[in-house]
Amino acid sequence: MTRRRRSALYMPASNGRAIAKARTLDCDVVILDLEDAVAPDEKAAARDRVIDAVREGGFGARELVVRINGLGTPWYADDVAAVRGMGVDAVLVPKVAYPSDLEAIRTSLGEAGPPIWAMIETCAAILSLPALSQAAWGSRLTALIAGTNDLAKDMRCRLGPDRMPLIPALTATVMAARAAGIVALDGVCNALDDPARFGAECAQGAMLGFEGKTLIHPSQIDAANAGFGPSEDELAWARAIVAAFARPENADKGAIRLDGQMVERLHLAEAEAVLTR
């Protein structure tokens, strides 16, 4: 939870140049994508390319995640066999909807295999969020990723710039992640030529409580890092809270008055986490 995950960039695993470029970008997370970004007849070659890329390394401090094809697809078993001992930070699985899915994925990956990141992108998944949250510890589920494109399709809703039809689902995803003590990342924005809309989505996602946003193009990285990173004002306030509670006269206090506001030790914990990230 203390790692920065402001920007999580999908990179098509079928594109060797894209994978090489990912090693140079200022994103917090690189997601090598074997699912949506790869055509069926390129799946096997893309999988081999991921194996080579992970073996080669060079991703630095970036968190490295592989999105595999989902349960029930013809490529799932081969994908799992490839990533099981690969040493990546996590495996992102699409269309996770039930605790039984998590159990099946963990069995496939093995107890010593990588942690699971789950795509929440169906109505069934939204209705199962409390159960998925409760199953997180046993399955080593460590992140929920909003799959907004597929969710909107499943809901048959009409999305505008404010994403209003999805707000209840996005909020529920964040709440489920918080209940489990795991990460929540916002869905992608398809409007590549509309930086104002992308910035607004980042601001909205941060307001809802997401740690960061999944991205489909490197041009979105800087805005995501800015939108989900603490502002200078937020950093200054966090430092002020830590400094105030560090004073000897506040050592045994559960709450103090600071610049006209009531500040509790829960705010201290939050401030320390912000500064750590």
Side-chain angles (χ1 to χ4, degrees), residues 166-237:
L166 295 184
I167 297 301
L170 295 175
T171 303
T173 300
V174 172
M175 293 176 69
R178 293 295 163 269
I182 63 177
V183 172
L185 297 182
D186 197 1
V188 301
C189 176
N190 301 322
L192 290 176
D193 297 326
D194 192 345
R197 177 169 178 173
F198 181 75
E201 280 198 19
C202 288
Q204 182 189 60
M207 179 181 65
L208 292 174
F210 287 102
E211 280 95 336
K213 192 166 182 65
T214 47
L215 314 177
I216 57 174
H217 196 274
S219 64
Q220 299 175 323
I221 293 173
D222 288 346
N225 287 345
F228 288 92
S231 67
E232 288 303 318
D233 288 345
E234 290 170 328
L235 287 172
W237 180 240

Side-chain angles (χ1 to χ4, degrees), residues 14-276:
S14 56
N15 188 330
R17 291 178 61 186
I19 295 174
K21 185 175 182 178
R23 296 183 173 95
T24 70
L25 299 172
D26 195 28
C27 55
D28 294 329
V29 183
V30 172
I31 303 174
L32 302 180
D33 189 10
L34 291 169
E35 194 215 11
D36 284 347
V38 180
D41 59 351
E42 296 180 341
K43 298 283 189 183
R47 188 185 308 117
D48 291 340
R49 190 168 285 112
V50 166
I51 294 172
D52 292 340
V54 175
R55 184 182 297 120
E56 183 179 346
F59 292 93
R62 301 166 192 83
E63 202 163 3
L64 185 59
V65 178
V66 176
R67 179 162 73 168
I68 64 173
N69 292 278
L71 284 161
T73 67
W75 311 282
Y76 173 78
D78 289 336
D79 286 355
V80 166
V83 301
R84 187 161 40 208
M86 195 181 283
V88 294
D89 292 296
V91 174
L92 176 57
V93 186
K95 301 294 192 300
V96 173
Y98 306 105
S100 58
D101 294 342
L102 293 176
E103 182 179 353
I105 295 163
R106 175 47 56 205
T107 298
S108 299
L109 289 171
E111 290 301 318
I116 299 168
W117 286 16
M119 296 288 299
I120 304 301
E121 50 188 343
T122 64
C123 295
I126 297 300
L127 295 178
S128 295
L129 279 170
L132 293 173
S133 178
Q134 291 176 357
W137 186 86
S139 61
R140 293 177 57 217
L141 172 70
T142 58
L144 300 179
I145 315 299
T148 45
N149 284 335
D150 282 281
L151 181 57
K153 178 182 177 182
D154 202 32
M155 289 175 61
R156 302 180 198 169
C157 65
R158 297 179 181 178
L159 286 185
D162 61 359
R163 301 195 297 176
M164 185 271 293
L166 295 184
I167 297 301
L170 295 175
T171 303
T173 300
V174 172
M175 293 176 69
R178 293 295 163 269
I182 63 177
V183 172
L185 297 182
D186 197 1
V188 301
C189 176
N190 301 322
L192 290 176
D193 297 326
D194 192 345
R197 177 169 178 173
F198 181 75
E201 280 198 19
C202 288
Q204 182 189 60
M207 179 181 65
L208 292 174
F210 287 102
E211 280 95 336
K213 192 166 182 65
T214 47
L215 314 177
I216 57 174
H217 196 274
S219 64
Q220 299 175 323
I221 293 173
D222 288 346
N225 287 345
F228 288 92
S231 67
E232 288 303 318
D233 288 345
E234 290 170 328
L235 287 172
W237 180 240
R239 293 187 185 104
I241 292 174
V242 171
F245 274 104
R247 295 174 191 146
E249 63 269 25
N250 295 328
D252 59 349
K253 293 181 179 178
I256 60 175
R257 185 182 180 93
L258 180 62
D259 294 343
Q261 297 190 46
M262 182 64 71
V263 180
E264 302 178 49
R265 288 199 171 268
L266 65 91
H267 300 114
L268 173 61
E270 183 179 355
E272 290 172 337
V274 167
L275 294 176
T276 298

